[in-house]
Amino acid sequence: MERYVDLDDGKIFVSTYGIEENFPLVLLHGNSEDSSYFIHQIEYFSDKYFVIAIDSRAHGKSSYTEGEKLTIDKLADDVINTLAVMEVEKANFLGFSDGGNVAISVALKKPELVNRLVLNGANLNPSGVKLGVNLKIYLTYAHYSFMSLFKREYKRKKAVWKLMINEPNFTYEQMQSITAKTLVIVGEDDMIKYSHSKKMSEGKNVTLTVMEGNHFIAVENPLEFNKEVEEFFEEKASK
């Protein structure tokens, strides 16, 4: 089922799959993508969970008001408010890349909403991204900034890519304060530094898993990725 959720300052596009009575699983995609990134996860998890796939503001079919400032916290507020409209009180979360960063913000802002948290290729700050990738981000942002002077469609792209220039800005202490049991999952050749991911996983409620592949393991190795996530979700809380 597809729907728009009307918020005070925009419309958020949501796709749902599976039986509504099942426990919710919220999917949050990465920068410059939309919820279709999770096609393999939607197919896999919709038999067991009520899957809620959200297009972030300024992404996919969700709205964007020209000139509005995008922040990770703003996108997290959108998620929280969208789920409130949908009357979702608690859910598992799977966030990829910037979607993982949004999920961190959700867990900090409204911890009672998060049952279990999977952070795939997330980072706490821009320094967690490898230098070569950061350079490409800056060059792309500069290109979009220049093109936005001539074509309106590039204004949205500029705002979206600026997220990766300036954000996120979480501390390790904030990461460790998350109460939900958390899985940090990355590829061996991820664009996120291994040292950064390892540091993120130092909290008592956090586990680190490294899989063969790069940043996009959910797409390139979905079977193994889905099994890792499923086992984590179904693991007994006492473990």
Side-chain angles (χ1 to χ4, degrees):
M1 178 179 175
E2 297 180 347
R3 62 177 290 191
Y4 283 95
V5 173
D6 291 321
L7 303 182
D8 290 341
D9 59 348
K11 293 178 179 290
I12 302 300
F13 182 76
V14 181
S15 302
T16 57
Y17 308 85
I19 301 173
E20 192 168 355
E21 287 72 26
N22 287 344
F23 193 75
L25 167 59
V26 178
L27 304 179
L28 302 175
H29 63 80
N31 191 288
S32 300
E33 300 164 347
D34 59 39
S35 55
S36 66
Y37 175 84
F38 289 112
I39 183 172
H40 299 297
Q41 287 66 53
I42 290 168
E43 292 174 352
Y44 188 90
F45 287 105
S46 58
D47 286 343
K48 189 172 293 186
Y49 293 92
F50 180 53
V51 177
I52 303 170
I54 300 176
D55 281 2
S56 292
R57 181 181 294 265
H59 295 71
K61 297 180 181 179
S62 290
S63 66
Y64 170 68
T65 302
E66 188 174 307
E68 73 177 324
K69 182 181 179 181
L70 300 179
T71 66
I72 294 296
D73 279 350
K74 175 63 176 173
L75 301 189
D77 286 338
D78 286 341
V79 172
I80 292 169
N81 294 331
T82 295
L83 295 178
V85 171
M86 297 177 68
E87 299 183 339
V88 174
E89 297 180 351
K90 202 174 194 68
N92 289 334
F93 282 75
L94 165 56
F96 166 63
S97 201
D98 258 0
N101 304 335
V102 172
I104 292 172
S105 183
V106 171
L108 293 172
K109 286 171 171 281
K110 200 172 180 64
E112 67 272 20
L113 183 58
V114 182
N115 181 53
R116 294 215 170 184
L117 179 63
V118 177
L119 305 174
N120 173 209
N123 58 303
L124 298 181
N125 52 65
S127 70
V129 179
K130 291 178 179 177
L131 182 61
V133 177
N134 252 332
L135 178 59
K136 292 179 182 178
I137 291 172
Y138 272 89
L139 290 173
T140 302
Y141 175 69
H143 171 68
Y144 288 160
S145 296
F146 177 74
M147 292 301 296
S148 69
L149 299 174
F150 308 98
K151 296 184 178 180
R152 291 186 63 183
E153 61 263 32
Y154 282 92
K155 293 183 183 295
R156 181 190 61 81
K157 293 182 178 182
K158 175 186 174 182
V160 167
W161 275 75
K162 191 174 182 180
L163 276 171
M164 293 189 287
I165 299 288
N166 297 328
E167 299 199 38
N169 290 295
F170 303 116
T171 66
Y172 290 107
E173 289 75 20
Q174 284 178 302
M175 180 69 192
Q176 292 175 6
S177 74
I178 293 175
T179 55
K181 197 168 178 63
T182 302
L183 173 65
V184 174
I185 182 167
V186 294
E188 290 179 345
D189 190 30
D190 210 292
M191 61 180 267
I192 306 300
K193 299 173 184 175
Y194 172 74
S195 59
H196 188 82
S197 299
K198 190 172 186 299
K199 185 73 174 176
M200 286 178 64
S201 67
E202 289 182 353
K204 63 180 180 180
N205 294 320
V206 189
T207 302
L208 173 64
T209 294
V210 181
M211 290 179 51
E212 182 179 350
N214 57 29
H215 193 55
F216 304 98
I217 49 177
V219 171
E220 296 181 350
N221 193 3
L223 184 59
E224 185 178 347
F225 178 88
N226 292 343
K227 287 182 177 179
E228 287 282 349
V229 172
E230 183 178 31
E231 288 177 7
F232 171 73
F233 284 153
E234 296 184 355
E235 182 185 43
K236 291 183 179 179
S238 60
K239 289 187 179 181

